[in-house]
Amino acid sequence: MDKAVKIEVKHLNFYYGKFQALHDNSLDFHINEVSALIGPSGCGKSTFLRCLNRMNDLIPISRVEGNLLLDGLDIYDPSVDVVMLRSRVGMVFQKPNPFPKTIFENVAYGLKVNGIKNKGLIEKRVEESLKLAAIWDEVKDRMHESALGLSGGQQQRLCIARALAVEPEILLMDEPCSALDPIATQKIEELIHQLKKSFTIIIVTHNMQQAARVSDITAFFYMGKLIEVGKTNTIFTRPNLKQTEDYITGRFG
Amino acid sequence: MAKHFFRELEKIKKRILSLGAMVEERVRMVIKALETRDGDAAKKIILSDHEIDEMEVEIEEECLKILALYQPVAIDLRFLTAVIKINNDLERIADEAVNIARRVRIIAKREKIDISFDYSLMAGKTEDMLKKSLDALVNLDIDLAFKVCGLDDEVDKMQSEAYDRIKQAIGEYPDRVAYLINLLLISRHLERIADHGTNIAEEVIYLIEGEIVRHGNYL
């Protein structure tokens, strides 16, 4: 049975000034599913991802058309509080970007920004998030040391814990493993499997095998257009369109 | 990287086709040996079977190497899995040719009994199926592959005819049971070759369409 729709994207167009980066894309994301966005560089997959928590708002010349509904509510509606939106739609970036603070403060930061002052609650959430991000055992004895002393893979899991601390419903991941070694990558992928039980996850990846391994749904973008979307199993064994097949088998261009 | 990969795929394609040609030739030889009751020709087939076995192992190792090194997907993945299976079918067909050759060597030494069953016709059909299944593979011809799947029933019917005739003949020639059992087994081996031909055709369909049509799901 199909899972409930968490995010509904309808006829999304996106412009950087005069350049149209996304062309009339419609796509649904379902609850507790991992969706992977794939496509060559510049195809618009990251732009698409960043539309989902209004990260593109930071680019002054950008413009969005169409509807993006989160649980049926348009996230581009003027009444929407962007800070609230981003606490519901968390994001993890390509390069681990911990704050130059302690491990504890990194995870507690979002909670404090959201006005939580209860120390006990903060400590509890920090521990839970670190456990959820599968890094607790590695950092529990050094919570007050600088996060910058962690390895790349640990930093990335810390960033995931930081994103999870504010209890988002959706996790956006923009190539979360591209700066990591195979072992750290494996840990993040296992983590994605675990996290999908509680979250809706959307991941942009250049690593085709990673998309095949971690996702339930794969969407292929090319030149700002959504070309094909389907079950990952189908996309990687018998895609419908030749263009998709050419891309995933490396016969592109 | 992609160039290497495509070159490897081309290499595999050439090898599986050349294995197919070798196996087809052996089936042709053994059918001729059966028709002419030529024990020496049959012996040659038995002695050279190791060539097929070695090639089968090489092709499988190559496929596994490509899977491990390049992690192919979609059409390339379907191609490699199809090759692995077709490779196995071809090797089994060659084994059946050896089995027939063994029976031919035995019956060639004994006096002929006419059981009024046309082995040439059955062998011809079987050979035709194998040839068509390999043609379907070479040309990626899905219509031909479907056709081969349909031909298998005819060979099955012939085998059951052979069974009835031989059963009857055993009553007529009770002192020639061993000879007749060899004849029965030959029809069985031919029927198995036709089955492997069908498997190859089914793999060709999977390769092209991505649909698994085994177990008679041809709709």
Side-chain angles (χ1 to χ4, degrees):
Chain A
M1 209 181 74
D2 274 355
K3 291 176 172 145
V5 174
K6 187 74 188 167
I7 300 180
E8 201 179 344
V9 179
K10 290 202 270 192
H11 305 294
L12 176 67
N13 289 302
F14 185 85
Y15 303 83
Y16 290 110
K18 283 185 181 156
F19 174 72
Q20 186 170 2
L22 294 174
H23 298 261
D24 194 31
N25 294 313
S26 296
L27 182 59
D28 291 347
F29 296 98
H30 297 88
I31 201 158
N32 300 133
E33 259 180 8
V34 180
S35 303
L37 312 182
I38 61 168
S41 291
C43 71
K45 56 192 188 300
S46 287
T47 301
F48 184 94
L49 190 78
R50 293 161 64 92
C51 283
L52 300 175
N53 71 345
R54 293 182 55 171
M55 287 292 283
N56 291 322
D57 287 15
L58 304 172
I59 304 163
I61 54 167
S62 71
R63 184 158 59 85
V64 181
E65 287 171 7
N67 298 101
L68 283 100
L69 310 178
L70 171 57
D71 287 335
L73 294 172
D74 196 330
I75 63 167
Y76 280 89
D77 191 278
S79 66
V80 168
D81 173 358
V82 179
V83 175
M84 265 309 283
L85 170 72
R86 291 189 191 138
S87 74
R88 291 180 69 188
V89 187
M91 190 154 186
V92 176
F93 299 86
Q94 189 169 354
K95 279 192 188 150
N97 53 353
F99 303 134
K101 291 169 175 286
T102 68
I103 292 166
F104 181 89
E105 282 166 357
N106 260 277
V107 186
Y109 190 81
L111 299 169
K112 289 178 182 165
V113 168
N114 280 328
I116 298 175
K117 294 201 175 79
N118 181 334
K119 254 183 130 186
L121 178 64
I122 291 176
E123 272 174 20
K124 187 170 156 264
R125 285 270 196 90
V126 167
E127 183 175 335
E128 279 169 1
S129 307
L130 289 166
K131 279 181 176 162
L132 212 50
I135 192 181
W136 171 250
D137 287 339
E138 291 159 63
V139 298
K140 64 181 178 209
D141 300 323
R142 47 197 282 209
M143 293 293 279
H144 299 288
E145 289 174 26
S146 167
L148 300 178
L150 296 172
S151 73
Q154 288 172 329
Q155 287 186 8
Q156 191 64 314
R157 277 178 288 143
L158 179 70
C159 292
I160 293 174
R162 188 176 65 191
L164 298 178
V166 293
E167 299 186 318
E169 296 150 53
I170 295 152
L171 203 55
L172 308 178
M173 302 178 119
D174 194 354
E175 294 191 49
C177 302
S178 62
L180 305 182
D181 73 16
I183 294 169
T185 298
Q186 207 181 352
K187 282 190 179 155
I188 302 281
E189 288 180 3
E190 278 165 19
L191 183 58
I192 291 172
H193 270 293
Q194 288 303 316
L195 293 177
K196 81 167 179 180
K197 291 173 195 155
S198 329
F199 305 92
T200 303
I201 298 174
I202 304 164
I203 176 171
V204 162
T205 175
H206 270 137
N207 181 337
M208 223 78 70
Q209 269 73 41
Q210 179 168 73
R213 281 191 301 264
V214 303
S215 70
D216 304 296
I217 300 292
T218 297
F220 168 55
F221 284 80
Y222 183 57
M223 291 176 75
K225 292 193 182 92
L226 172 66
I227 305 294
E228 183 172 352
V229 60
K231 290 208 166 105
T232 299
N233 268 346
T234 312
I235 296 279
F236 283 95
T237 53
R238 48 185 173 108
N240 267 323
L241 300 177
K242 176 133 194 343
Q243 223 175 346
T244 314
E245 180 143 282
D246 284 350
Y247 178 67
I248 60 172
T249 59
R251 284 176 176 78
F252 221 63
Chain B
M1 198 66 171
K3 257 189 195 161
H4 284 284
F5 173 56
F6 297 135
R7 213 175 295 147
E8 297 274 7
L9 286 183
E10 271 310 306
K11 243 168 54 192
I12 282 280
K13 190 169 180 187
K14 279 192 190 134
R15 290 182 110 170
I16 193 79
L17 295 181
S18 94
L19 179 66
M22 276 166 76
V23 169
E24 202 182 344
E25 178 58 23
R26 276 176 166 65
V27 171
R28 204 172 299 133
M29 276 162 65
V30 85
I31 287 171
K32 198 169 166 217
L34 171 67
E35 283 166 351
T36 56
R37 297 165 62 84
D38 185 345
D40 292 337
K43 192 174 174 186
K44 271 188 201 150
I45 293 164
I46 298 167
L47 291 178
S48 65
D49 188 49
H50 67 95
E51 292 168 14
I52 303 280
D53 293 346
E54 284 156 19
M55 194 143 164
E56 187 229 4
V57 171
E58 276 172 32
I59 290 176
E60 188 171 322
E61 281 175 348
E62 276 302 304
C63 286
L64 294 177
K65 187 188 91 185
I66 296 176
L67 287 174
L69 294 186
Y70 301 97
Q71 293 121 39
V73 295
I75 179 71
D76 301 330
L77 178 63
R78 299 206 303 274
F79 172 73
L80 283 168
T81 49
V83 165
I84 289 171
K85 290 185 164 193
I86 290 170
N87 188 36
N88 187 36
D89 279 311
L90 288 172
E91 191 273 331
R92 297 291 304 143
I93 291 172
D95 283 350
E96 295 294 349
V98 166
N99 290 337
I100 295 174
R102 291 209 173 99
R103 312 280 158 216
V104 168
R105 273 168 62 75
I106 296 168
I107 62 172
K109 290 177 200 152
R110 314 269 193 280
E111 196 192 332
K112 197 175 174 185
I113 305 176
D114 186 14
I115 60 158
S116 70
F117 175 78
D118 192 349
Y119 271 93
S120 296
L121 192 65
M122 184 177 186
K125 282 254 184 231
T126 304
E127 196 185 331
D128 181 50
M129 269 181 74
L130 176 60
K131 186 181 175 311
K132 286 200 168 99
S133 70
L134 292 172
D135 284 349
L137 174 66
V138 174
N139 303 317
L140 294 179
D141 182 340
I142 195 154
D143 296 331
L144 190 60
F146 272 112
K147 215 172 184 175
V148 171
C149 297
L151 289 175
D152 191 39
D153 289 344
E154 291 180 32
V155 177
D156 287 351
K157 227 170 102 188
M158 285 175 153
Q159 211 246 316
S160 96
E161 243 172 73
Y163 175 85
D164 291 340
R165 296 278 157 76
I166 288 163
K167 203 166 97 181
Q168 198 183 343
I170 287 174
E172 291 164 27
Y173 305 93
D175 53 334
R176 302 292 303 276
V177 171
Y179 182 94
L180 290 164
I181 286 177
N182 276 305
L183 282 189
L184 177 67
L185 287 171
I186 287 173
S187 72
R188 169 78 181 143
H189 298 318
L190 286 171
E191 188 263 328
R192 288 301 297 150
I193 291 177
D195 284 348
H196 288 296
T198 310
N199 291 350
I200 293 173
E202 286 167 350
E203 287 310 321
V204 172
I205 295 169
Y206 169 70
L207 169 58
I208 300 169
E209 296 247 296
E211 291 283 351
I212 295 173
V213 292
R214 272 199 307 274
H215 317 303
N217 301 319
Y218 299 132
L219 288 176

